[in-house]
Amino acid sequence: MKGKAGSIVKLAAVLCGFALIATLILTVCNYVTADRISFLAAQAKDEAKRTVLPAADRFADVNGEFSAPVKMVYEGKKGVDPVGYCVSVAPSGYGGAIELMVGVDDAGKVTGVSVISMSETPGLGAKAKDVSFYGQYTGKSEHISVIKSGIAKENEINAISGATITSKAVTAGVNAALETVAGLKGGN
């Protein structure tokens, strides 16, 4: 009995040692790569801004308190002239937050939508990254709704088949961006 108990204690000590070493290695790796990961995330957001508001050649942060799912707003300018806004939103989808960048021009129309990150189901919700889906938002300026089938009207988009939750989440993000920009422009 004593030998068996001793071997269990020895085995537990070895296991704790391995866990401690693994934790130390992961901590060091996280420390070493944190700056690079942060840089790449910022680079992805900058690229998304240029993609969704191509008329702008520079972007400035818009200070203010924004309601969820809006995370941040950037004013796009060409030279000194404002040309629109990029709105970072993160609505909740089926697999968690869907981080989007939405471009809205000075006329209040969507100029583009870019999916920065998401954890939606491959083959279903992940189709939100396909231009055939997010391209439906371009040119829309009013509250947008989702339809499951049929021909979409001016203020509607067709849902991704089998991924209505994702479609509604992206639409909620785009609607939040439109409302935020309308509020910034005084409701125009």
Side-chain angles (χ1 to χ4, degrees):
M1 196 68 139
K2 191 173 186 178
K4 205 176 216 183
S7 68
I8 291 174
V9 170
K10 189 176 183 181
L11 186 60
V14 169
L15 185 59
C16 285
F18 279 126
L20 182 62
I21 291 168
T23 301
L24 182 62
I25 290 170
L26 288 173
T27 301
V28 169
C29 286
N30 184 53
Y31 177 76
V32 169
T33 60
D35 289 342
R36 180 74 177 154
I37 290 169
S38 180
F39 171 77
L40 291 174
Q43 189 177 28
K45 285 183 182 178
D46 288 342
E47 185 178 318
K49 287 186 269 188
R50 287 190 302 278
T51 300
V52 301
L53 194 62
D57 56 19
R58 64 188 183 91
F59 301 92
D61 293 0
V62 174
N63 296 322
E65 295 289 322
F66 305 107
S67 302
V70 176
K71 297 179 79 162
M72 188 65 193
V73 179
Y74 309 92
E75 182 177 33
K77 295 184 178 189
K78 183 163 185 96
V80 296
D81 299 324
V83 293
Y85 296 90
C86 291
V87 183
S88 174
V89 293
S92 294
Y94 183 77
I98 302 172
E99 191 174 355
L100 307 167
M101 189 69 68
V102 181
V104 181
D105 66 15
D106 270 348
K109 292 185 178 184
V110 175
T111 57
V113 176
S114 179
V115 178
I116 297 171
S117 68
M118 69 171 163
S119 300
E120 299 301 282
T121 308
L124 293 173
K127 289 182 180 179
K129 287 186 175 184
D130 294 348
V131 70
S132 61
F133 175 71
Y134 69 77
Q136 296 179 85
Y137 296 98
T138 304
K140 307 255 189 248
S141 60
E142 297 177 14
H143 183 81
I144 304 164
S145 53
V146 178
I147 61 170
K148 289 186 179 185
S149 62
I151 298 172
K153 295 177 185 157
E154 189 171 327
N155 64 335
E156 297 175 332
I157 60 105
N158 287 309
I160 299 166
S161 181
T164 306
I165 294 171
T166 303
S167 302
K168 287 182 177 182
V170 172
T171 302
V174 173
N175 282 331
L178 287 168
E179 291 166 14
T180 299
V181 170
L184 289 171
K185 296 179 66 138
N188 293 339

